[in-house]
Structures are given as structure tokens and as C-alpha cells.
Amino acid sequence: MVKRGLYIKANPKREEDSNSLRVGRHLVDAIRSRSDEVVLEEIDVYSHPIPLIDGHFLSAREKMAGGAALEQLDPEERAIVERVHRFTDTFIAADFYIFAYPLWNFGVPPLLKAYIDTIKVARKTFRYTPEGPVGLLKDKTAILIQSSGDVYSRGPLAPFEHGSRYLQSVLSFIGVERITTILMEGMDTALEEREAKRRRAMELADLAAASLFAETG
């Protein structure tokens, strides 16, 4: 059975110059080496034209929440909704996700946030119920690869980590239950240890690849 994956890259650097992208490529290669029945699509948010939430989209969302069909929207509204939903539908169709990105200014890169806005869509990846919101994605796996210049998983900077925690929250909200996080921390403050930390992250990526196949059969 073919397994479909999405590799979401969120770093404008060249792959060889990026810790997160180097580990992300290692994970992609590890997954592909395990099976010929894997289709992995790559989305580089710095190359793909990610639609931004604008006034037309907000207007369309309000109209659709009131019961309007896509065909009833203004042309500009319909165009942005269709662009957003193409990303949403691609995400829904995948079995697993890989996110590779740096922690910038305590959060994810802005274009990764824009991409997240295309996958957290009411009535497609979650729905509201009288008991509260319910995620609609089932039996999905996500692997987060985050690089940071300092250490944020513990110590005085822990309250300021809004990268992996944010993504974990969003993915859990839309129903993704299996989330593995690979952190490379202190990459700017412990230069002599950088290569060792990157090798350890690649080892964890190998384990994540093995676990992915164990989970998806």
C-alpha cells in the first residue's frame, strides 16, 4: 500500500547551510530507502506561493460560515479560497508530515505560519460541535525537526519557545495524534558541539523513520 507524505521545508538557506534542512533531507532519504511504495511531496514555503490570509479570504470565510456556497462568492474571494483549499486538500490526503524549520524570534518562520493557516480550516481539518472543536484528521503522523541557536526546551528561555509547541498544538487540534519532535538546540552557543548535535538529530531521524513504518504498516 502506497504511503503518502509531505515534507514541508521552511528555511530560505541552502540545504547544506541549514541544520534543520540537512536533518530533514536525511529523514526523507531514510524513509525512501525503506520502501518503494512511498510518495513524498516536498513543499518549500520559500519557493511555493503560499496564499496569505487577507480581506478577501476573511470575507469569504464569513459568508461560507453563514451557508454560502463557493460559487456564490465574489471572484476575488473564490480565488483565494480555492488557493487555500488546494493546500488543505493536499495536506488531508497525506499519511504523514515532516516539518523542517528554524526557531526564529521565539516562533516559526512567517511563511511557515502562513502555510499553517492553509491547513487549519474549519469543516475540512476540524469542526465545531456543541462539546467543542473536534479534529478531523485520523491516523496521521508528524515529525518536527527544529533547530535553534540557543536552548529553549529547558532553563530560562523555556517560556519563550513558541515553535515546536505551537506546531504540536495546531497538529493536535486538527487530529494528528502521533507527533515526534527532534530538537537541535544551542547550535550558535556551542559551536564545538554542533556537528555532534546534528549527528544525534540524524540518529533520531533514523529512529523516526523506523517508527513511521511500524505505525503505518
Side-chain angles (χ1 to χ4, degrees), residues 6-112:
L6 280 179
Y7 175 33
I8 300 102
K9 302 184 290 185
N11 196 320
K13 291 183 179 180
R14 298 181 304 172
E15 188 171 281
E16 58 267 30
D17 296 329
S18 165
N19 294 307
S20 57
L21 295 185
R22 287 176 65 177
V23 176
R25 179 60 57 194
H26 181 87
L27 175 56
V28 167
D29 291 343
I31 290 172
R32 285 176 170 156
S33 69
R34 285 180 169 270
S35 174
D36 294 329
E37 295 188 328
V38 173
V39 177
L40 247 176
E41 179 180 345
E42 299 189 13
I43 297 178
D44 184 342
V45 300
Y46 280 89
S47 298
H48 282 68
I50 307 297
L52 301 178
I53 301 302
D54 61 9
H56 294 304
F57 183 82
L58 294 176
S59 175
R61 186 171 65 179
E62 184 175 346
K63 291 179 181 179
M64 295 177 75
L70 184 65
E71 295 74 17
Q72 297 174 293
L73 302 178
D74 295 337
E76 295 87 353
E77 295 170 345
R78 180 173 178 175
I80 183 64
V81 168
E82 288 177 339
R83 289 182 61 206
V84 168
H85 284 183
R86 278 196 290 271
F87 281 94
T88 316
D89 293 340
T90 298
F91 195 84
I92 293 171
D95 300 303
F96 65 91
Y97 317 103
I98 301 167
F99 291 84
Y101 59 96
L103 185 71
W104 282 353
N105 296 323
F106 307 146
V108 299
L111 289 180
L112 179 53

Side-chain angles (χ1 to χ4, degrees), residues 23 184 194-204:
V23 176
M184 284 175 284
R194 179 185 294 173
E195 186 58 36
K197 292 183 177 184
R198 192 161 47 229
R199 285 197 304 269
R200 176 55 179 162
M202 289 180 178
E203 292 171 358
L204 293 174

